[in-house]
Each structure stands twice: as C-alpha cells, then as structure tokens.
Amino acid sequence: MSLLSQNAPTSKGRRENRDVEDGKDVGSDDDARGKRRKMEEEKQRLSEQVEMKKLENLLFGSIYSPVTFGKEDGGVEADGSALFHVDRSAVRQTPDDDEEEEDDDEQLSDEEGGEAEGTRKGQAAWEDEEEKQVNINISSVNRLRKLRKEENEGLISGSEYIARLRAHHAKLNPGTDWARPDSQVIDGDSSDDEHQHGVVDDDDILRTNEDLVVKGGGAKLLPGLLEYSKLVDANAADPSNGAINSVHFHQNAQLLLTAGLDRRLRFFQIDGKRNTKIQSIFLEDCPIRKAAFLPNGSQVIVSGRRKFFYSFDLEQAKFDKIGPLVGREEKSLEHFEVSQDSSTIAFVGNEGYILLVSTKTKELTGTLKMNGSVRSLAFSDDGKQLLSSGGDGQVYVWDLRTMKCLYKGVDEGSTGGTSLCSSLNGALFASGTDRGIVNIYKKSEFVGGKRKPIKTVDNLTSKIDFMKFNHDAQILAIVSTMNKNSIKLVHVPSLTVFSNWPPPNSTMHYPRCVDFSPASGFMAMGNAAGKVLLYKLHHYQNA
C-alpha cells in the first residue's frame, strides 16, 4: 500500500467530517433565526402597545396629557390632520421612492385637513348643475302658488325654487335663537362693551311693559288662496251648551273670551294645541248677547237683552252690575261698541238714540240722535269719531269731541244698515245691509262727498250680522247668521274674496261671530252649535 493511499481519507471519514461541519452551520442558522423572530415579536408587541395607547387616548383621553385643541404638542391639532392616517402597506415600495412617498403622505394629509375644515364650515359637498337649467312653473300647481312673491309670477329656476322651499319651511317652522350657533345671547355674562353699545340687561327688561317680540314689517298678503291650518277648537276644554254670540282676544294674544246664551263667560289660554280653560263665570240673570275686552285689557263689558249691563274687572276678579242708565228707558242694551282709547262705551238706544257711557264712572255722558232707528255702531280715528247706520239706509259720521254729525251720506244700494266695522287706522270702513250687500268705503272719500264704494261684495244673500277687519286691514270677515257656512273672507288690497274660504268639505254650522288675534296669527269663529273654531293664518308669524 502506497503512502498516498495510507494518508488519503476514506469515504466514511469524509462523510463524518462533512456532518460535523454541517452540524455547526445548522446550529448557528437556527440561533440567528430565533433571535430575529424574538426581535420581530418584541417590535410588533411594542408597536401594538403604541397603537393601543393612541386608541385609548383618542377614545378616553390621556390622564397625564389631556387632549387640547389648537396645540401642536400633547393634543389634537385644530385642522384634524392627526386624526387620519393613510395605509400604504399594500403598495410595493423601493428604497429609491421612500422620499417621494413621504412627500405624498404630507401633501395628502394637508389636503384631508383642508377638506375636513371645509366640511365644518358648512360648504356643499356636491352641487347639481342641472338645477340652474331646469325651470319650474309655480303658478300652474295649487300647492306651489304659496311660493310666489308677485301675483303674476310664473317660471323660476330650479335653484330659486329650492331656495324658496327652504325659506317657506323656515317660515312655517321657525327655530329658536338659542339653538343657532350664530345667535347672540344677552345674559348676565355680557361684556362691558355690550352694555356700552346699548344691549338691554335682564333687569331692564323687567322694568318695562313694552312688547318683547319684534313684530313683522307688514308683508303683503297675496290674494286667491288663503294659507291656513285648522287647530283644536278654542273651547274644546269646555264647549258651550248654547250659541256662541261673542269671541274676543285679549291684547296679549293668549287670552280668549267666549260668551253665549248659556249665560257663561269663559276664558281660555290659546296655544293652538291644548287651549286650556282658565275660568268660567255664570251670570244667572243675563243670557249674554255680547261681551268684549276693553282695548287696554283691564275690563270685560258684558250685556244682554236687559236694561243693565255688567263690568268685570280682570285684576280684582270682580263683577259690577250697572244700570238702568239714569234718564233712559231702554229695555235692552245688547248692542254696544268700545272706543279704541278705552274711554267710551256706545250703546244702541231707542228711537235713533246712541248712548255714550264712560268706562271709568259707568255713567251716561251724552247722547247722539239719528233721523231713523240705529242698528249698528263702529268707532274710528282712535275713538274720536263714531260711525252709525240704521233703518234710513244712511251712514252717519260723528265727532265725539264736539258731539256733532260731521257728515251723513246714503249707503249705496242699502235700504237698511245692519252692520258696521272700521279698520284700526280708520282709513276704511265697511257697511252691511239686510240684503246681504257689503260696501267698502274709504272714509276720507266718503266724508269728502264721494259716496261711491271702492268695492261692493255680494257673495252672501242674507242679512249681514257681523263684520271684522284684521289688525292690518288686509282681511275683512263677513258673517251672516241665517245660513250654514255663511262666512266670507275678503282680501282687501285686491278687493277679492278668498276662493278657498269657507273651507271645502267642512261644516262650520251657523257662524255667529269672528275675531282675529292682535297680530292676526289666530282667527276664532263662534257658531250656533256652541263651538269656537280656531285657525292658524300662516301669513302672520305672531299671534
């Protein structure tokens, strides 16, 4: 055997040596792999802890570093960019693109912050360009006519249509000032600058009895269709057992009196929902023909087919029985009117006499005499003038300061006057006749010698028993007690009758009296069935 063969390793030896070397390599690889796995697990655990900590801080707030707004450190940024994160793990990245991706992340974060800020400012997220191209005819559909600003208005754009719908919704559903983010609340914490600029303090409000609600500036009421809603009956809490002869709103617009032949005087608090009854007073010896508040709201005058009348003091809750009047022999004082200045009560007397009684002393202060019988009265010009009409078919205008007749004129087409009413400003008056004719006059023209009425309303065919202007003289209510549903509402500016009144498919029974609340938000109508129907007039915002 040669030396070479003796020193050469056998195949078995070579396999053993190779196994030893491979064993060393395998062991070192397993150790390195285990360390990397532990490091990755530790890193993932730390990352999860950080993420959980961030989530806890966002949801519940940090105990050691509470969330503050508008600070860069230790809080949430004002623009909201820290609240959003873009996950780009699904995008394959290369080391060369790392810097570009970081720039993209910063730019996207800024854009998202800007979008969030724009959304908070109330900017529209999307607009329909076709709205400006579409035209809508609001005069052809009945339910859209209420959106008109002018009587002859027809086509409007889609954007204008949406704006008017929103405005109409806000009109029907007014919000409260405290719920609006831009409202200015006047309270005890007002700054000194506000007081220097004339802001009213709470104590100042309590020192005055002026109206706290600013009333509207007299918007124009459109003719044709009257917008209204039927509410719960005003006397639903205590209906009358007899016909309702009088309904009258107090000057505060919340108190309503009702009176009728059941001899009860009732007071209700009107809100349109519950209409709570406040008080009911029974007059044993006087079926009530008429009851009315004094315009100053201090008293109620109650009369019937008796030679006396009652005065009810609201502050003292006391009834006074007045009459018979000295020197007079009238057996009935059922018809009367009260002056706008609350100083005089005018009663219809016998043989053409008008009896003037002081509201303070309740004594007769004077009389006026017509040529024929007197049937109806109406004060005008803040109580300085009195209108009267009667059996001779003429209208008299009296000056109560001189106790003389200023003018006497024939009521066109009248054979006998049965009803009179005057607008609050005294510019207009209406005269009703026994034939169902109503003439509307301008008082200045009538007194000046022009006897032609500006409008003659002949929609009713029976005797006119009651008429009433609302507070701004845009509506005139005409009532005849002889027929069912015999009531009409006249749009005074256009001198036309509202076509949807009385309400179709509804029974109002035999109407007897009507009154509007001080700002015409409510209209109450009493009928012969003992009910007082209540309506909300949408055109008027205040009661």
Side-chain angles (χ1 to χ4, degrees):
M1 183 179 295
S2 64
L3 181 62
L4 182 57
S5 63
Q6 292 178 356
N7 294 333
T10 63
S11 59
K12 181 179 180 181
R14 285 197 298 271
R15 283 196 300 272
E16 292 176 354
N17 293 337
R18 190 179 297 113
D19 291 340
V20 173
E21 294 175 358
D22 292 343
K24 294 180 179 180
D25 294 339
V26 171
S28 60
D29 290 342
D30 291 340
D31 293 340
R33 208 175 282 118
K35 291 180 180 180
R36 284 197 299 271
R37 187 181 299 109
K38 290 181 180 180
M39 291 177 63
E40 291 177 356
E41 291 176 353
E42 182 67 19
K43 187 183 297 184
Q44 184 176 1
R45 186 178 62 82
L46 293 176
S47 177
E48 291 178 355
Q49 290 180 354
V50 172
E51 293 297 330
M52 290 297 294
K53 191 66 175 177
K54 288 182 179 180
L55 183 59
E56 291 177 358
N57 291 340
L58 289 176
L59 294 177
F60 308 108
S62 176
I63 298 177
Y64 304 103
S65 58
V67 176
T68 57
F69 296 92
K71 296 182 180 180
E72 296 180 357
D73 298 332
V76 179
E77 296 179 1
D79 60 355
S81 60
L83 299 178
F84 302 93
H85 174 70
V86 180
D87 186 6
R88 294 181 176 274
S89 60
V91 180
R92 181 176 298 175
Q93 300 180 1
T94 60
D96 296 336
D97 296 332
D98 289 341
E99 296 179 0
E100 295 179 1
E101 293 294 337
E102 292 176 1
D103 294 339
D104 293 341
D105 289 343
E106 293 177 0
Q107 181 178 0
L108 184 57
S109 178
D110 293 339
E111 292 177 355
E112 291 172 349
E115 292 176 358
E117 183 177 1
T119 303
R120 286 194 301 271
K121 291 181 179 179
Q123 298 178 355
W126 174 78
E127 294 182 358
D128 190 357
E129 297 180 355
E130 295 182 357
E131 291 179 357
K132 301 178 181 180
Q133 302 175 1
V134 176
N135 291 326
I136 299 174
N137 190 348
I138 59 176
S139 62
S140 61
V141 182
N142 291 338
R143 62 187 179 86
L144 298 182
R145 290 178 181 175
K146 57 180 173 288
L147 302 178
R148 295 180 297 174
K149 294 183 178 179
E150 299 294 337
E151 182 178 357
N152 57 354
E153 190 174 17
L155 292 176
I156 60 174
S157 63
S159 57
E160 177 67 16
Y161 172 70
I162 293 177
R164 294 191 186 184
L165 280 178
R166 291 176 176 171
H168 186 69
H169 176 77
K171 178 181 177 181
L172 298 182
N173 303 278
T176 52
D177 290 336
W178 60 265
R180 298 171 183 165
D182 57 345
S183 62
Q184 297 179 355
V185 180
I186 301 175
D187 53 24
D189 297 334
S190 301
S191 62
D192 296 337
D193 294 338
E194 292 177 339
H195 292 283
Q196 293 176 1
H197 287 82
V199 176
V200 181
D201 191 13
D202 290 343
D203 295 335
D204 295 333
I205 294 177
L206 298 177
R207 296 190 189 104
T208 179
N209 61 353
E210 297 179 354
D211 293 337
L212 300 182
V213 179
V214 179
K215 297 181 180 179
K220 181 181 178 182
L221 177 65
L222 295 179
L225 299 176
L226 180 66
E227 298 179 31
Y228 66 91
S229 296
K230 176 70 172 64
L231 304 178
V232 178
D233 289 351
N235 66 341
D238 187 11
S240 175
N241 294 326
I244 300 293
N245 286 330
S246 290
V247 291
H248 197 196
F249 280 95
H250 190 268
Q251 62 175 359
N252 66 7
Q254 295 181 347
L255 188 64
L256 175 73
L257 71 79
T258 67
L261 297 180
D262 65 348
R263 307 183 184 189
R264 289 191 177 274
L265 179 66
R266 297 176 175 88
F267 297 92
F268 298 89
Q269 182 178 358
I270 301 301
D271 57 7
K273 298 179 181 178
R274 299 181 59 185
N275 302 330
T276 306
K277 185 181 78 170
I278 298 177
Q279 190 175 7
S280 177
I281 303 172
F282 180 72
L283 300 179
E284 185 176 358
D285 57 350
C286 185
I288 302 174
R289 294 284 177 173
K290 184 168 183 178
F293 289 108
L294 293 186
N296 60 17
S298 61
Q299 301 177 35
V300 177
I301 306 299
V302 182
S303 69
R305 196 163 289 176
R306 299 288 187 271
K307 56 185 178 181
F308 55 84
F309 66 95
Y310 284 97
S311 173
F312 179 65
D313 192 315
L314 293 177
E315 296 180 359
Q316 301 179 3
K318 178 183 176 182
F319 258 106
D320 290 326
K321 185 177 180 180
I322 298 100
L325 298 177
V326 177
R328 302 303 306 177
E329 297 180 355
E330 279 78 11
K331 295 183 179 180
S332 174
L333 298 176
E334 59 185 288
H335 299 296
F336 70 88
E337 293 293 333
V338 182
S339 63
Q340 290 89 339
D341 59 0
S342 301
S343 64
T344 306
I345 309 172
F347 289 94
V348 172
N350 297 335
E351 300 177 351
Y353 278 97
I354 302 171
L355 314 179
L356 303 180
V357 177
S358 171
T359 58
K360 294 182 180 180
T361 63
K362 305 299 187 298
E363 295 180 354
L364 186 67
T365 60
T367 60
L368 304 172
K369 177 68 169 69
M370 290 174 51
N371 293 335
S373 62
V374 55
R375 297 179 182 175
S376 59
L377 303 170
F379 280 94
S380 179
D381 196 19
D382 294 332
K384 298 176 183 177
Q385 295 181 0
L386 178 68
L387 306 178
S388 64
S389 67
D392 60 357
Q394 294 184 330
V395 176
Y396 295 73
V397 181
W398 304 89
D399 187 346
L400 298 183
R401 292 169 293 187
T402 61
M403 302 293 288
K404 294 183 179 180
C405 180
L406 291 177
Y407 183 80
K408 178 179 66 173
V410 176
D411 185 12
E412 185 177 271
S414 173
T415 58
T418 57
S419 180
L420 277 176
C421 72
S422 175
S423 61
L424 287 180
N425 58 11
L428 301 173
F429 74 89
S431 174
T433 68
D434 52 4
R435 297 192 303 165
I437 303 296
V438 175
N439 292 326
I440 303 175
Y441 295 91
K442 288 184 178 180
K443 192 182 73 173
S444 60
E445 295 180 356
F446 185 81
V447 174
K450 183 181 179 180
R451 302 177 181 178
K452 189 75 174 178
I454 60 175
K455 178 66 177 179
T456 298
V457 182
D458 55 0
N459 295 77
L460 300 180
T461 58
S462 55
K463 183 185 72 169
I464 304 299
D465 297 288
F466 187 88
M467 295 188 297
K468 180 78 174 183
F469 280 102
N470 76 322
H471 81 287
D472 59 0
Q474 293 196 78
I475 301 176
L476 171 64
I478 303 172
V479 174
S480 175
T481 62
M482 304 298 293
N483 300 318
K484 285 187 176 181
N485 298 339
S486 187
I487 177 173
K488 290 293 182 180
L489 297 182
V490 179
H491 180 257
V492 178
S494 66
L495 299 174
T496 58
V497 176
F498 287 105
S499 60
N500 62 336
W501 193 271
N505 302 325
S506 65
T507 301
M508 307 181 77
H509 208 263
Y510 292 89
R512 298 187 65 86
C513 51
V514 174
D515 193 32
F516 299 92
S517 60
S520 301
F522 292 123
M523 181 180 70
M525 190 209 75
N527 61 24
K531 294 183 178 180
V532 179
L533 309 181
L534 186 65
Y535 298 89
K536 174 72 175 69
L537 303 185
H538 294 167
H539 174 75
Y540 299 99
Q541 296 299 309
N542 301 318

